[in-house]
Amino acid sequence: SQKIEQNSEALNIQEGKTATLTCNYTNYSPAYLQWYRQDPGRGPVFLLLIRENEKEKRKERLKVTFDTTLKQSLFHITASQPADSATYLCAISSGSARQLTFGSGTQLTVLP
Amino acid sequence: DAGVIQSPRHEVTEMGQEVTLRCKPISGHDYLFWYRQTMMRGLELLIYFNNNVPIDDSGMPEDRFSAKMPNASFSTLKIQPSEPRDSAVYFCASGATREGEQFFGPGTRLTVL
């Protein structure tokens, strides 16, 4: 069966460190993989999209890698700040790029 | 742009009542998605539209759920009759044809007593 797993439900790190979140998938051949941020009481907000033929994508302090052999994406936040505390969701497109299946999310807390 | 607009933000109703959730997508977006989020099941796609036409409704849990998109600027998700297990946060999202990202509304928190 198809499955998307994010490494842990919760991750605590110290301010200034790099946070690394993992998204593993099985029985998908995604055309895209996306990362979203969700704050309590709000809808998810798009952060980054990476295509199957791309190895890495960067945006400011964010970096996403995509390894279709390992069936894994890593999401990095460098120089983390307390304001980065949120739940981060990975999402996979299968078939049509418009249809997404979301992982359960990782709740990141950056401690001051 | 105001972003995706959803109403109401909160809805409390009794079992058996009809519930209608509303969504206004971002102007110019061709795709509209309805999701449901719960602690147990996470964020699940219910149905999505392209150019006002339903494309995939395989996520709609039962016949009690129905969705319409009468025009490019409005969509509804209806639950009739509602049940306590329908309690969740319902999100509407829209997207443009060229890009893959989706823009989510603030959600409607539904509580069915």
Side-chain angles (χ1 to χ4, degrees):
Chain A
S1 63
Q2 294 179 319
K3 193 182 294 184
I4 301 172
E5 292 182 330
Q6 297 193 235
N7 57 324
S8 60
E9 287 188 5
L11 179 66
N12 296 335
I13 65 166
Q14 209 65 40
E15 182 177 5
K17 301 292 186 182
T18 296
T20 299
L21 284 63
T22 304
C23 178
N24 295 296
Y25 59 92
T26 54
N27 294 322
Y28 282 99
S29 295
Y32 300 83
L33 190 145
Q34 303 183 22
W35 285 88
Y36 287 77
R37 168 184 174 141
Q38 187 173 23
D39 291 284
R42 295 177 176 266
V45 174
F46 171 79
L47 295 175
L48 281 168
L49 178 155
I50 188 165
R51 295 175 176 81
E52 59 179 337
N53 60 349
E54 297 175 320
K55 296 291 186 186
E56 182 179 299
K57 190 73 94 51
R58 292 175 184 263
K59 178 183 176 182
E60 298 173 353
R61 293 185 296 112
L62 308 180
K63 184 179 85 171
V64 173
T65 63
F66 193 9
D67 189 326
T68 55
T69 301
L70 291 178
K71 297 187 184 298
Q72 181 181 79
S73 175
L74 298 179
F75 177 80
H76 306 272
I77 306 175
T78 59
S80 59
Q81 305 166 0
D84 296 326
S85 299
T87 296
Y88 291 86
L89 302 162
C90 72
I92 287 176
S93 69
S94 57
S96 161
R98 306 310 288 131
Q99 194 166 356
L100 293 176
T101 302
F102 282 82
S104 57
T106 296
Q107 185 175 349
L108 173 68
T109 301
V110 180
L111 303 169
Chain B
D1 200 318
V4 175
I5 298 171
Q6 291 187 247
S7 64
R9 292 295 311 277
H10 302 273
E11 177 81 32
V12 180
T13 191
E14 293 189 345
M15 183 174 64
Q17 296 298 305
E18 177 180 296
V19 175
T20 299
L21 311 181
R22 297 173 176 80
C23 175
K24 176 178 168 54
I26 293 172
S27 176
H29 282 186
D30 298 326
Y31 288 83
L32 184 137
F33 308 83
W34 282 102
Y35 291 89
R36 178 173 67 177
Q37 188 173 39
T38 61
M39 288 295 292
M40 289 296 295
R41 300 177 66 89
L43 191 61
E44 301 174 285
L45 178 66
L46 300 177
I47 184 172
Y48 81 95
F49 296 83
N50 178 215
N51 291 323
N52 313 338
V53 176
I55 302 301
D56 187 342
D57 65 353
S58 59
M60 296 285 261
E62 302 171 27
D63 291 345
R64 297 184 296 106
F65 286 68
S66 62
K68 294 182 180 179
M69 191 165 186
N71 57 62
S73 59
F74 184 66
S75 177
T76 59
L77 178 67
K78 186 175 294 186
I79 308 172
Q80 166 63 19
S82 57
E83 297 183 2
R85 59 190 168 131
D86 301 331
S87 297
V89 180
Y90 291 81
F91 289 104
C92 174
S94 68
T97 302
R98 290 184 300 110
E99 303 295 333
E101 62 264 37
Q102 297 180 14
F103 297 81
F104 283 76
T108 296
R109 181 173 295 277
L110 173 65
T111 303
V112 183
L113 302 174

